[in-house]
Amino acid sequence: MKKTVLFPFYHRSLLLVAFVVLGTFLAGCDGEEEDAPAQPKTVADLVVEGSEFTILEAAIRQAGQLDAFKNPNLTVFAPNDAAFRASGIADANALATLTQPQLTAILQYHVLKAAVASSGFPMESNKPVQTSLSINDQPVIVYVTNGSGGLFVNGARIVTPDIQAANGVIHVIDRILLPPPSGSTGGGTLVGVVAADTSLSLLGTAALRVAASNPTLATVLTGTEPYTTFAPTNNAFRALKLSSSDTINKVPVATLADILANHVVAGRLYSNDLKTGDLTAYSNKRLTLNVGTSVTVKSSGIPLPATVTQANLTATNGVVHKIDKVLL
């Protein structure tokens, strides 16, 4: 009798111990799952999940480039929504004016094929760096400045550096980057940038006329040495009653050449490179810059300075800043 009573009790005890051990093991497994580190996220994941990148995400999806942002070893200069708005793109709907190839080229121009932290850029002004964009099998360049004033790419400020991703690093910038044009008159040169912008068509007419008779100035605008051009818009020419190609072609070509030479200075000068003070134009005349909440430039022949209305249009041989007056 004693033996038959103890046998079931012994088994019940074993079962109880087994359940306790199993429960402890499962609880430990649950704890391990809860404490397991999250899988690192790619650049694509961070853009999709980031509330400040809604327009960039739309651009990437419209271009069919989401998988490209999962590739290894990337540096991405990522414009946030404020950067798109500051560049004239109010929301994702505004991207509809761009074709898929255009969007793809713009996005590739924001990407380097190596993961580079902010500390990896040398303390240097406008260092050329190859992007993932190529035109005619030639890599297209961005220009990175690392200095006491901060870190800039093509004049756009890096506002949040070094966001780490599983496949590289993101640097958030405050403007979008536009590559030099391709396939237009003048290619990606200063002349090409002007020719590709419909708001600069009257300047383009003047430049082509001058280039035909002044090969030296033409070489400046289409050569390899870097120059910065302050480019008067069509409205700036209209203010001088030069409202069409016909009226511009009636101006003596020597006069036009003198005027255009007032708008060109040596060197690649993005907005972060412009300082209050004097510059010497290609004409050897003095231009006076004032850099504050806006940038103005004055020549001796105008009573009030011109204002830079759009900065940092990149050319293969320099930079274009659009202005609202002709510098006489």
Side-chain angles (χ1 to χ4, degrees):
M1 292 291 293
K2 198 174 211 177
K3 188 174 179 180
T4 57
V5 171
L6 286 174
F7 185 75
F9 175 77
Y10 174 74
H11 279 280
R12 286 196 301 272
S13 299
L14 285 177
L15 285 172
L16 179 60
V17 170
F19 279 124
V20 170
V21 170
L22 180 60
T24 303
F25 173 75
L26 291 175
C29 289
D30 287 343
E32 287 177 4
E33 288 180 3
E34 289 175 4
D35 296 336
Q39 290 298 313
K41 296 177 179 179
T42 66
V43 170
D45 296 328
L46 293 175
V47 169
V48 169
E49 295 176 11
S51 60
E52 65 176 327
F53 296 126
T54 62
I55 304 177
L56 178 59
E57 178 191 352
I60 291 172
R61 291 188 184 278
Q62 185 174 319
Q65 292 290 304
L66 192 62
D67 286 343
F69 284 81
K70 299 176 183 178
N71 289 336
N73 299 320
L74 301 181
T75 296
V76 178
F77 299 112
N80 56 21
D81 288 348
F84 275 96
R85 289 192 290 268
S87 303
I89 298 176
D91 54 33
N93 294 329
L95 299 172
T97 60
L98 299 170
T99 66
Q100 187 178 42
Q102 287 173 328
L103 265 181
T104 299
I106 291 170
L107 290 170
Q108 290 175 343
Y109 193 56
H110 287 75
V111 178
L112 311 182
K113 291 182 177 179
V116 184
S118 60
S119 60
F121 294 109
M123 298 294 284
E124 190 174 329
S125 180
N126 292 326
K127 178 179 176 58
V129 179
Q130 294 184 2
T131 71
S132 63
L133 174 63
S134 292
I135 296 176
N136 298 325
D137 296 324
Q138 295 297 315
V140 184
I141 303 299
V142 292
Y143 297 87
V144 178
T145 291
N146 191 2
S148 58
L151 192 59
F152 298 85
V153 53
N154 287 13
R157 181 184 289 274
I158 294 177
V159 293
T160 306
D162 300 324
I163 298 175
Q164 297 300 314
N167 60 330
V169 60
I170 295 173
H171 303 301
V172 183
I173 55 177
D174 68 353
R175 294 289 192 280
I176 65 173
L177 310 176
L178 295 177
S182 60
S184 63
T185 301
T189 67
L190 293 166
V191 169
V193 170
V194 170
D197 192 322
T198 56
S199 72
L200 300 175
S201 60
L202 295 177
L203 174 62
T205 297
L208 289 175
R209 182 158 179 246
V210 168
S213 62
N214 190 326
T216 302
L217 187 54
T219 299
V220 166
L221 298 176
T222 60
T224 57
E225 292 298 315
Y227 285 86
T228 297
T229 299
F230 295 100
T233 62
N234 290 345
N235 285 338
F237 276 97
R238 290 182 185 120
L240 295 178
K241 309 301 182 185
L242 298 173
S243 57
S244 68
S245 298
D246 288 340
T247 55
I248 288 175
N249 287 333
K250 290 176 182 176
V251 178
V253 69
T255 302
L256 276 182
D258 287 343
I259 292 173
L260 290 188
N262 277 350
H263 294 78
V264 180
V265 298
R268 182 180 293 275
L269 302 175
Y270 286 104
S271 55
N272 57 288
D273 301 309
L274 299 177
K275 311 298 181 187
T276 296
D278 292 339
L279 292 173
T280 301
Y282 187 75
S283 64
N284 286 324
K285 294 181 180 178
R286 185 179 66 183
L287 300 178
T288 300
L289 291 180
N290 193 299
V291 179
T293 54
S294 63
V295 177
T296 64
V297 54
K298 187 180 182 306
S299 60
S300 60
I302 56 175
L304 296 174
T307 298
V308 173
T309 58
Q310 184 177 356
N312 303 330
L313 300 177
T314 296
T316 54
N317 63 335
V319 186
V320 173
H321 303 293
K322 294 202 275 191
I323 56 176
D324 62 359
K325 288 183 176 67
V326 178
L327 304 175
L328 300 174

